[in-house]
Amino acid sequence: QVQLQQWGAGLLKPSETLSLTCAVYGGSFSGYYWSWIRQSPGKGLEWIGEINHRGSTNYRPSLTSRVTISLDTSKNQFSLKLASVTAADRAVYYCARKNSGSSSPGSHYYYMDVWGKGTTVTVSS
Amino acid sequence: SSGLTQDPAVSVALGQTVRITCQGDSLRDYYATWYQQKPGQAPVLVIYGKNKRPSGIPDRFSGSYSRNTASLTITGAQAEDEGDYYCNSRDSSTYYLEVFGGGTKLTVL
């Protein structure tokens, strides 16, 4: 059974860079997109971006200038960096595996089927 | 439009049926995925694709569609079904952008 274990600094000062890593255990790294999602206190879920096993990335347009998602296939890990954090970046950050299926030839659907436990990130001077 | 709209809160009597809806233009093109989240926990996948349940999700959970609206139905709600439910889909304009609804808080009375 695939499990995601995530870690990283939980307390940052404004303007610092958030850095989180997610390790994939018990499953293949290939064939999936690996995602980061965050949830501000008392709020809903917000997709940050994703990377596939070939290193192809997609980012939330509003965060593109500050976010970098990378991977280390030798360790089955992927990472999130978010530069120049502010109080607005305070959230629980989740890593997740994005899986896919096909309902008909040429038509795919996607879903996040495995999630990490989340890392609480606070931004305070 | 890239937004997904959910009712903020819904309640259901124990053992009764409840429908949680998600509305958005992208649902005309893409399936909705549904997640359940309990306080202090990560989201859990409950419905994906046209109407698929992951292993371990009870068959009282089902998904359906009509035009631009996706629905999650819980038939015979149990106390443990209480929590927040989020729908998720892709954005119609920016195909790789995952969007989430604002979430529906389900209370089982």
Side-chain angles (χ1 to χ4, degrees):
Chain A
Q1 184 177 353
V2 177
Q3 292 186 342
L4 303 183
Q5 183 176 349
Q6 58 180 106
W7 65 89
L11 179 60
L12 298 170
K13 292 182 170 54
S15 81
E16 291 185 334
T17 295
L18 178 157
S19 182
L20 300 175
T21 299
C22 185
V24 181
Y25 295 106
S28 172
F29 210 60
S30 299
Y32 304 96
Y33 268 93
W34 301 93
S35 306
W36 289 97
I37 300 101
R38 69 181 180 180
Q39 186 171 33
S40 300
K43 304 287 187 181
L45 300 165
E46 179 178 76
W47 180 81
I48 298 170
E50 63 191 11
I51 190 168
N52 69 7
H53 68 281
R54 296 187 218 90
S56 177
T57 56
N58 294 309
Y59 298 137
R60 185 176 194 83
S62 61
L63 296 174
T64 294
S65 64
R66 297 196 291 133
V67 68
T68 303
I69 297 176
S70 59
L71 60 81
D72 185 337
T73 54
S74 66
K75 295 181 180 179
N76 268 22
Q77 294 176 0
F78 62 106
S79 298
L80 168 70
K81 290 190 186 301
L82 182 65
S84 305
V85 298
T86 69
D89 296 310
R90 177 190 175 203
V92 176
Y93 287 74
Y94 296 100
C95 58
R97 184 180 78 173
K98 190 163 99 170
N99 206 338
S100 64
S102 178
S103 55
S104 60
S107 175
H108 289 83
Y109 54 84
Y110 299 88
Y111 52 100
M112 283 165 269
D113 61 345
V114 184
W115 293 66
K117 293 187 183 301
T119 300
T120 300
V121 174
T122 301
V123 180
S124 175
S125 56
Chain B
S1 171
S2 60
L4 296 177
T5 302
Q6 298 182 242
D7 292 328
V10 170
S11 63
V12 61
L14 185 67
Q16 296 303 300
T17 296
V18 62
R19 177 175 291 183
I20 299 170
T21 61
C22 174
Q23 193 170 25
D25 288 344
S26 64
L27 300 178
R28 297 180 187 272
D29 301 316
Y30 300 111
Y31 290 129
T33 302
W34 290 94
Y35 303 93
Q36 175 195 69
Q37 186 179 35
K38 297 186 179 181
Q41 298 183 19
V44 172
L45 176 70
V46 293
I47 291 289
Y48 65 100
K50 191 172 184 179
N51 181 18
K52 294 180 181 293
R53 284 176 290 105
S55 172
I57 299 301
D59 61 5
R60 61 179 179 271
F61 289 87
S62 64
S64 60
Y65 295 86
S66 177
R67 298 187 183 92
N68 69 335
T69 300
S71 299
L72 173 70
T73 300
I74 307 174
T75 303
Q78 303 299 303
E80 61 264 32
D81 299 335
E82 193 164 278
D84 295 325
Y85 289 83
Y86 293 92
C87 62
N88 155 233
S89 182
R90 307 178 93 185
D91 183 81
S92 292
S93 303
T94 307
Y95 74 95
Y96 59 81
L97 177 60
E98 297 285 345
V99 292
F100 289 89
T104 297
K105 183 175 182 60
L106 175 66
T107 300
V108 180
L109 305 171

